[in-house]
Amino acid sequence: MRYLKMTFVRIVLSFFAAGAAKELIIANTNRESIPVIFTILFMGLFYYGLTLYVNNRR
């Protein structure tokens, strides 16, 4: 898990995980702003979780 120490890798992984979680939650909505808000929220949560995981692996 050495590659998770790089910030760029955590950002990319959190982006893809946020996109997958967003697609699981939002089925068919007509609003344009809700998917963007969910993506930003989930990216922050996944990035924070990966950072906690990396920092507590010692």
Side-chain angles (χ1 to χ4, degrees), residues 9-40:
V9 172
R10 284 185 294 202
I11 290 172
V12 169
L13 285 176
S14 64
F15 178 73
F16 285 118
K22 178 189 68 162
E23 290 298 323
L24 287 173
I25 290 178
I26 299 174
N28 290 323
T29 59
N30 294 332
R31 296 186 180 170
E32 300 272 334
S33 63
I34 290 182
V36 174
I37 293 170
F38 275 136
T39 302
I40 293 170

